[in-house]
Amino acid sequence: MGYGSDFSPDGRLFALLDTDGKLKIWNVKDNRLTQEYVPDLHLSQPYTCFVWFTACAGIQDGTLYIALGTSEGGVDLYSHAQGKLARKFTGDGHAGAVTAICLHSNTTLYTSGEDSKIVEWSLTKCSSVRYISIGRIVPTCIVSLPLSNTLLLGCKQLHQWSLGEVPEKKATLTGHSADVSSMKVVQFAEREEYVVTTAKNNREIYLWKIGSKKGPKGTFLMEHSASFVSCSVFDRKLIIAAVTQASGGPNGGVVHLFIIKDISDIGKKQNPKVTLAVAFDSGKIGSIPIVAATTSFSQPHSSNILIGYGNLPTLSFEDVHYNPNEKKQILDREDPRLSRHEKTKEIFKTIVPNTNNTVHNPGPAKKTKGDRKPEISLQERMSNLSTSQSDDDKGHSLVETLKQALHNHDAANIRTVLATKDENMIRSTLKRLPAHYVPSLIDELTLLTHKKTANVQVAVRWLKLLLQIHASQLMALGKDELRDRFGALLGIIQNRTNCLVQLTTLSGRLDFLLNQIKRNTDDDPIFNHENLLVYEDESSNDEDSADESGMEYGSQSTDVDMSDDSSSGSEA
């Protein structure tokens, strides 16, 4: 989903740092994207991490702020009240990108970087104070432990560093097999500190007790790796809400709730007590991914949880009630991608009056076999559409059949509808197709591309027009969902076109050889014909004949001369 996301300290706002460096802020109560900050050069120098904090001494407004770690190694301060960048921190920062950031106190920030250093920043002076060399490790997460006045750095191991005048490493905790992706601090009244950690591509959550040199105190099992984790503490009760990644994509999936009634009685391995999922149309069409969840803003003894679900263009937030005694629960909601126009059309349906003179009895009536008319097949209805209606009417009638087939996953009817070759009819159908049916149609067209060439031609015909008509809705989904939706399709197309250049070259060579053979073997009247005119020049013929017989004439004259000379000599 992005580099990071989190709720504000008061729970009224939700911020997300997208992978392209954009900061987006939603109003949780109104379900509105209220602010979107796009920094300069955000594609080449994006922000990498952020943390919420409230205003303190030295900052005037007394409102919420966001400290943003940059890819250049610095820190920027974003004001939510002003909706813009308040100022940039000065001083020496990191030599590389900032990898993690945390708030230590009301006046201090700490950041970790790619240069294997920790930098301390002053919020009152908005500048760096000092740096701490931590060896050759590059932390991916960093949290502050205020009770012990230490920092906990997360990579493949957890490293605890003291924050005195001379910082030093205090402990190393080993357990994860991959880089740590998130860390949350859990505090109890008895001055006990715990940390909840997750790792990349790891389906386990670890609970560590600070000060203990043993392994994890508790392990929590999930079906997929976590993308968002929050922790809540009520007396000795601990609630962990973990949002998992959907299978095959980076976006959210479901939320697992781990409820520990007493932290001292925790077992080694725990399964989720409750698993919440959100679906539309009772799960018959598809699910809606959950991207964030927390119980920190609920009443201590209530079974409520604040969740954010949907995709980035249509993200919605809701405080829902769950049953702690039911293991799996599905929340049935409307598809957030359904536009207001489509909702209005569903509410106000057109009623066609009966124009026949026949009076229908509203009561039940018996049907006889003779009155029953034979059912018309879908192929016959399709043929009737192609002959008796205009393109616009045909598309209107065809889209209802397509919607019903996609809704019921009727493969036979879907194939019959897709077999339409009339481009105007396809265009009219796609224009009337609601946006929330487009993903299901893309999946069906992707299945067609796995089959023979005739099916591929059908899929390409529909996909070309689908991308032209619904381009705006598809672009609003975001690149992550587009990659998940079209990834398999692009792979098949690339696989089918891998040998296209070689085949084209071979086809050209074969055509050239065949043309040469045809010229040499066929009686082509253009090349094989009798001469229409033959012209002979007499002078040139005489010269040619003289040239051809030159040696013979010369020999004769020589003989004559020699005979004359010999005769004259004899006479003498």
Side-chain angles (χ1 to χ4, degrees), residues 294-306:
T294 180
T295 58
S296 300
F297 311 106
S298 303
Q299 295 297 326
H301 301 289
S302 66
S303 299
N304 282 25
I305 182 172
L306 176 62

Side-chain angles (χ1 to χ4, degrees), residues 372-390:
R372 186 176 300 170
K373 296 181 179 180
E375 185 178 353
I376 301 176
S377 64
L378 181 61
Q379 293 182 353
E380 294 178 359
R381 289 193 300 231
M382 294 288 294
S383 62
N384 294 336
L385 286 176
S386 61
T387 57
S388 62
Q389 296 179 339
S390 62

